[in-house]
Amino acid sequence: MNIVRLGCTRGVLKNPLSTQWNNIIRATAMTAVNWNALNAVRTATATSSRKNFAILQSSIPVINSIRNYTCKSIGGSMEEHCVVPDVIAKAPKGTASVEYAGGISVQAGNVLTPTQVKDQPCVKWEADASKLYTLCMTDPDAPSRKDPKFREWHHWLVGNIPGSDVAKGEVLSAYVGSGPPPDTGLHRYIFLIFEQKCKLNFDEKRLPNNSGDGRGGFKIAKFAEKYDLGDPVAGNFYQAEYDDYVPILYKQLGA
């Protein structure tokens, strides 16, 4: 009986139909494997998509916060810190980008140090390339916010700037970094940009960066009125108090 069974088995294996049946079984098995692999890929993709969507959802508040900061912070912050009305009657709508060396940026009243702002920054704003602008940086808290008897001490004044290319403007007062006296707390340093109606002939004495003469008692509002500049179109500001760089700056100014 075993011999008969063995013979039948060999006959089946040699039969062409048996070969086709084996191929069908193999193909079915491979299809099952491929289908499982496809399901695994679909599952992984769906999981990844859900994770990415969750990350995106968690990022939305941050994106909205940045959007709100850039849209409304300048006017609100200038009012909150009394830049309006201490310096100007109306806050600008535009935000000026002010970047110092080392990636230090001015962000609507953030606190920086005199060391960080000792060198002239890069200032940009949304400008019309066909128009001229005036840029001012001024400190209304001289010698202190509690006793601003020298208000304002201006640190930088440039006129006839084509577009936002400050380097091509006419320097009236060279840049001088922050130098708040010791024990006078935080000072506000305000950047304001005005759009000129035409090219101006400024009669102010040109001030270098190695002297403090002629900088105190300045009023940017009166300067703007004198040259019919209107309200500022862009601005920004930071705060700073005394640090170890200030004596070095005083020596530079001959104090």
Side-chain angles (χ1 to χ4, degrees):
M1 179 64 68
N2 290 338
I3 295 174
V4 173
R5 287 178 180 173
L6 180 59
C8 291
T9 302
R10 287 176 179 173
V12 169
L13 291 176
K14 291 180 180 179
N15 194 308
L17 292 175
S18 176
T19 302
Q20 293 178 4
W21 179 250
N22 287 338
N23 290 338
I24 291 171
I25 292 173
R26 289 193 186 97
T28 303
M30 290 302 296
T31 300
V33 171
N34 291 338
W35 180 255
N36 290 336
L38 179 60
N39 280 337
V41 171
R42 286 176 176 171
T43 302
T45 302
T47 302
S48 177
S49 297
R50 286 195 294 270
K51 288 181 179 179
N52 290 338
F53 182 71
I55 293 170
L56 179 60
Q57 280 188 313
S58 66
S59 301
I60 288 174
V62 177
I63 295 170
N64 287 337
S65 175
I66 294 171
R67 183 182 294 118
N68 290 337
Y69 170 82
T70 56
C71 288
K72 67 182 182 182
S73 65
I74 291 304
S77 292
M78 284 191 171
E79 291 175 359
E80 178 185 348
H81 289 273
C82 298
V83 174
V84 177
D86 288 354
V87 179
I88 49 178
K90 184 179 179 180
K93 293 182 180 180
T95 301
S97 168
V98 183
E99 298 285 339
Y100 284 93
I104 305 299
S105 62
V106 174
Q107 296 179 7
N110 60 330
V111 176
L112 303 176
T113 67
T115 300
Q116 290 174 317
V117 301
K118 63 186 180 66
D119 298 318
Q120 180 175 310
C122 175
V123 182
K124 295 289 183 182
W125 61 94
E126 289 188 10
D128 184 334
S130 67
K131 294 184 178 181
L132 298 173
Y133 296 84
T134 292
L135 162 66
C136 177
M137 173 187 169
T138 190
D139 171 13
D141 304 322
S144 70
R145 190 164 180 176
K146 291 182 179 180
D147 181 27
K149 58 187 176 182
F150 300 136
R151 175 177 293 177
E152 302 154 20
W153 205 96
H154 75 285
H155 289 252
W156 197 19
L157 188 60
V158 186
N160 292 325
I161 301 169
S164 63
D165 193 348
V166 178
K168 293 183 179 179
E170 182 179 352
V171 179
L172 309 181
S173 300
Y175 180 83
V176 172
S178 298
D183 303 317
T184 59
L186 288 169
H187 288 226
R188 297 164 292 174
Y189 296 90
I190 296 103
F191 294 85
L192 296 169
I193 293 94
F194 297 84
E195 184 180 298
Q196 300 176 194
K197 292 180 173 62
C198 60
K199 186 173 182 178
L200 297 171
N201 294 315
F202 298 102
D203 61 14
E204 279 70 25
K205 180 182 178 180
R206 296 335 188 231
L207 302 178
N209 67 354
N210 59 358
S211 173
D213 294 343
R215 291 181 181 264
F218 177 83
K219 298 287 189 295
I220 186 56
K222 288 185 176 180
F223 181 89
E225 182 180 3
K226 176 181 177 180
Y227 291 104
D228 194 22
L229 298 175
D231 295 319
V233 296
N236 213 328
F237 72 105
Y238 67 87
Q239 301 179 84
E241 60 184 332
Y242 180 90
D243 79 352
D244 292 340
Y245 172 72
V246 174
I248 299 173
L249 177 62
Y250 288 174
K251 183 179 289 188
Q252 172 186 318
L253 298 175

